Amino acid sequence: MSKKPKPAAKGAAKGAGKPAAKGAEKPAAKGSDSAENAPEETNGPRPGRVTAAAALAALEGLALIVAGIYFVIRGATGEPDDRAQAITGGLTLAALGMIPLLAGRGLFAQRSWSRGPAIITQIMALPVAWQLLQADSAMIPAGIVLAVVAVTVLVLLIHPATTRALGIRGPGQAD
């Protein structure tokens, strides 16, 4: 899978149209950073809001993966009511954990595509938090933590500084 290079930002091509100085364009040495090997440009320095959202989303993903692995192990070695259901549920949790984990990685790298999966994950976490809060058990603190994290990440992701850092334009914003 090859990456397509991003177009250069406005004003990035200083001296465009001017002839290059003689010998200025040397072929890239083998193993050096060429345009093909260079990482994609980011949209400036990463704001703390984006870093915090990325970290929280990645932690949610890791928590889901760990819970999924726990359920698979308990289903395979423990005494669940339905062994197949426990293992399937655990594998599903682990697979679903990949979404916020990858979204967190994308946010950390300031990729605009990562905001959508991160927001959807937080919206999906709110009803889960509500159900945990309705339980008469030790799951109430987990519901509180999940609700606080989901709302915090949502607020961080919809902040204008985050959308600017990710290169997302809203309605009515010009180039």
Side-chain angles (χ1 to χ4, degrees), residues 9-10 18 22 45-46 56 61 78 82 90 92-93 103 112 120 150 161 166-167:
K10 280 188 175 180
K18 293 181 185 176
K22 189 172 185 174
R46 183 177 50 251
L56 289 172
D82 185 358
T92 302
L93 273 180
S112 61
I120 290 169
L166 297 175

Side-chain angles (χ1 to χ4, degrees), residues 109-129:
Q110 289 184 273
R111 304 292 187 251
S112 61
W113 62 263
S114 60
R115 184 172 173 251
I119 287 175
I120 290 169
T121 302
Q122 305 318 310
I123 291 170
M124 290 172 50
L126 291 173
V128 174

Side-chain angles (χ1 to χ4, degrees), residues 42-166:
T42 59
N43 299 323
R46 183 177 50 251
R49 285 172 168 66
V50 176
T51 303
L56 289 172
L59 282 174
E60 283 177 322
L62 285 174
L64 283 170
I65 292 170
V66 168
I69 291 170
Y70 171 78
F71 286 133
V72 167
I73 291 170
R74 291 283 299 183
T77 62
E79 297 294 324
D81 292 337
D82 185 358
R83 187 172 299 223
Q85 185 178 10
I87 292 172
T88 303
L91 290 174
T92 302
L93 273 180
L96 287 174
M98 293 301 293
I99 297 169
L101 187 63
L102 291 173
R105 184 172 184 255
L107 286 169
F108 192 76
Q110 289 184 273
R111 304 292 187 251
S112 61
W113 62 263
S114 60
R115 184 172 173 251
I119 287 175
I120 290 169
T121 302
Q122 305 318 310
I123 291 170
M124 290 172 50
L126 291 173
V128 174
W130 179 255
Q131 288 300 314
L132 291 173
L133 290 170
Q134 301 303 310
D136 288 331
S137 68
M139 296 310 290
I140 292 174
I144 293 169
V145 170
L146 182 57
V148 167
V149 169
V151 170
T152 301
V153 174
L154 280 171
V155 168
L156 291 171
L157 290 173
I158 62 171
H159 194 277
T162 302
T163 57
R164 276 192 306 274
L166 297 175

